[in-house]
Amino acid sequence: GNPAHRAILTSTDWKGANATLRTSTDSGATWTTRLLPSGTKLGRVAMDRDNSARLVYLPYNAKTPYTSADSGASWTQRADLGG
């Protein structure tokens, strides 16, 4: 993977509401803000080490993750990956 690629989650309050994803391809020198699926809160995000455009996002207290193939520009809920 490319160590210059980064992804972080941010929120506007302590309860995790209004969460956004920020991605960088230049070790954090610049960031792109992406919206997360509507109604979701902070959680966990993972980036594919071989393809940084592929992300997995699991909202707080959720059992069903979302995936993105375009750096978080769009999301698909994946019940087949939930547990």
Side-chain angles (χ1 to χ4, degrees):
N2 187 336
H5 293 236
R6 315 250 192 244
I8 60 169
L9 294 172
T10 63
S11 177
T12 59
D13 71 18
W14 290 105
K15 294 182 180 179
N18 303 312
T20 57
L21 171 71
R22 297 177 196 268
T23 59
S24 176
T25 58
D26 57 11
S27 297
T30 60
W31 294 91
T32 300
T33 300
R34 306 288 190 174
L35 295 178
L36 293 169
S38 179
T40 60
K41 293 186 176 186
L42 280 180
R44 295 178 184 216
V45 65
M47 181 181 288
D48 185 314
R49 72 178 196 159
D50 296 321
N51 180 351
S52 62
R54 290 192 307 218
L55 304 171
V56 176
Y57 165 60
L58 183 64
Y60 175 74
N61 263 351
K63 293 184 179 181
T64 305
Y66 293 82
T67 60
S68 175
D70 54 13
S71 299
S74 63
W75 295 95
T76 302
Q77 193 168 24
R78 298 286 305 270
D80 59 316
L81 299 177

